[in-house]
Amino acid sequence: MTSPLPLPTTLPAAEAEALSDLYRRGTPDNTLRAWERDLAYIAAWKMAAFDAPLDWPESEAVALRFILDHSLDLTSATGPARLAAEALMDAGLRRSLACPAPSTLDRRIASWRAFHRMKNLPSPFEAPLIRQARGRARRAAARPRQRKSENPITREVLEAMLASCDHSHRGLRDRAALMLGWASGGRRRSEIVALNRDDLDSRDFEGKGLIRIRLLTTKTTGPDQAPRLPLKGRAARAVMAWVQLARIDSGPVFRPVSLADRVLKRRLTPDGLREIVRHRLELAGYPPGFASPHGLRAGFLTQAALDGAPLPAAMQLSLHRSVSQAQSYYADVEIEDNPATDLLG
């Protein structure tokens, strides 16, 4: 994080710096980035709404106002809540006057609570009135679940994307990244680009056509629980072909490729992987916005459902903790085949 973490002001400078470093090393990069964005948003909102900086601990009145301001569609509203929202939009911190999604508000509140814990202070969001107001606001703003990808990248879509990959460095890299991301359980883009060469165990590749992928950090696990997932057949061969051609003996597995088709040393970014997915979908003939990188994850689970793979088996690879969340992909596929739909004949 570029901004300082909100740690206790009573700590000596050396201990505060050591604790800050511990938080950075012990917290996933995605969480740190979310904290940074949320801290900037919350501080800007407090200044716009109250003309005052954040207090530690924050008052219940401010916490309640935050919930109320973010539980309304302000498009046709007037008054302080709209003025604060417009100030946030001018600062590039808010997109519109529409009511934010409940999940967005939940995340910002969770971050604010985390900042209080960092300072070893009680959070106003634990107060019964505030908790009740948040529950009411969540129900009032409830909306249909929005998919992270417009469409899943099923096997048919993936095969069309892979057919666009030639034998250049760029083509081999894209083929390896897409196949690994899909076949290893639908990996998130942050997990794919975070892989290093020593995360690929290829000792069984020659004999069994198998490599094992170590995921040091995922959304649900840390380095102490790092899963090792199998990658077989075509996907394993694609990854090893890329590694060997690009002569990757150490460091990042997936890297940018220059216009001259030269493999660079730095790590591919999550946005770089997004561009790979967009480009390959376009070359495969799909319309703009057809799917996002999350389509690899959605596509793996959707294809598992289509092929009749048991949900627990798919979850072993996808690493979903929530059965209901993973089940949603199965439900979308299976509901038309449910015998109860034929009761009337």
Side-chain angles (χ1 to χ4, degrees), residues 10-74:
T10 54
L11 286 177
E15 291 183 9
E17 180 58 33
L19 186 57
S20 178
D21 179 65
L22 181 62
Y23 267 108
R24 291 189 177 93
R25 289 186 290 110
T27 305
D29 290 342
N30 285 349
T31 302
L32 288 173
R33 285 192 289 269
W35 278 352
E36 183 179 22
R37 292 193 301 269
D38 291 341
L39 183 58
Y41 183 94
I42 292 164
W45 172 85
K46 174 78 181 290
M47 184 59 67
F50 291 90
D51 195 25
L54 293 173
D55 287 324
W56 305 100
E58 195 52 84
S59 71
E60 291 181 17
V62 169
L64 181 59
R65 169 75 183 276
F66 185 77
I67 291 173
L68 296 176
D69 278 12
H70 293 82
S71 303
L72 299 168
D73 186 334
L74 301 172

Side-chain angles (χ1 to χ4, degrees), residues 66-130:
F66 185 77
I67 291 173
L68 296 176
D69 278 12
H70 293 82
S71 303
L72 299 168
D73 186 334
L74 301 172
T75 305
S76 57
T78 59
R82 173 158 179 153
L83 292 175
E86 289 175 342
L88 291 168
M89 291 170 63
D90 291 341
L93 296 171
R94 180 167 174 157
R95 292 182 180 179
S96 72
L97 294 171
C99 180
S103 59
T104 301
L105 182 55
D106 281 343
R107 194 200 69 237
R108 287 175 177 150
I109 290 175
S111 295
W112 209 340
R113 292 171 62 193
F115 301 149
H116 279 81
R117 289 196 298 271
M118 290 178 200
K119 284 182 167 290
N120 202 29
L121 294 170
S123 164
F125 292 100
E126 302 303 329
L129 175 64
I130 307 302

Side-chain angles (χ1 to χ4, degrees), residues 253-266:
V253 172
F254 297 112
R255 310 174 182 202
V257 175
S258 71
L259 293 176
D261 204 41
R262 183 170 60 88
V263 180
L264 307 182
K265 293 184 178 181
R266 66 177 183 271

Side-chain angles (χ1 to χ4, degrees), residues 239-275:
V239 170
M240 293 309 298
W242 158 249
V243 166
Q244 291 163 7
L245 180 74
R247 299 179 181 178
I248 297 174
D249 298 319
S250 61
V253 172
F254 297 112
R255 310 174 182 202
V257 175
S258 71
L259 293 176
D261 204 41
R262 183 170 60 88
V263 180
L264 307 182
K265 293 184 178 181
R266 66 177 183 271
R267 187 181 303 278
L268 186 70
T269 65
D271 283 343
L273 187 66
R274 179 189 292 278
E275 177 59 22

Side-chain angles (χ1 to χ4, degrees), residues 60-209:
E60 291 181 17
V62 169
L64 181 59
R65 169 75 183 276
F66 185 77
I67 291 173
L68 296 176
D69 278 12
H70 293 82
S71 303
L72 299 168
D73 186 334
L74 301 172
T75 305
S76 57
T78 59
R82 173 158 179 153
L83 292 175
E86 289 175 342
L88 291 168
M89 291 170 63
D90 291 341
L93 296 171
R94 180 167 174 157
R95 292 182 180 179
S96 72
L97 294 171
C99 180
S103 59
T104 301
L105 182 55
D106 281 343
R107 194 200 69 237
R108 287 175 177 150
I109 290 175
S111 295
W112 209 340
R113 292 171 62 193
F115 301 149
H116 279 81
R117 289 196 298 271
M118 290 178 200
K119 284 182 167 290
N120 202 29
L121 294 170
S123 164
F125 292 100
E126 302 303 329
L129 175 64
I130 307 302
R131 291 169 66 91
Q132 231 179 23
R134 178 65 200 114
R136 297 292 189 277
R138 188 182 297 109
R139 284 191 287 274
R143 60 188 70 177
R145 180 174 64 94
Q146 297 294 313
R147 295 189 178 279
K148 294 180 180 179
S149 179
E150 185 68 23
N151 292 286
I153 297 176
T154 56
R155 186 189 296 118
E156 179 182 359
V157 178
L158 180 67
E159 293 289 8
M161 296 168 72
L162 297 177
S164 75
C165 299
D166 58 20
H167 295 287
S168 64
H169 282 108
R170 187 181 303 276
L172 289 174
R173 179 205 61 186
D174 292 2
R175 180 183 291 111
L178 292 171
M179 293 187 82
L180 180 147
W182 197 92
S184 63
R187 302 271 56 86
R188 301 175 180 90
R189 55 183 175 139
S190 60
E191 296 167 357
I192 297 171
V193 300
L195 288 172
N196 290 320
R197 178 61 184 90
D198 59 4
D199 294 323
L200 304 181
D201 182 352
S202 54
R203 287 175 294 181
D204 289 331
F205 179 67
E206 292 297 331
K208 300 180 180 179

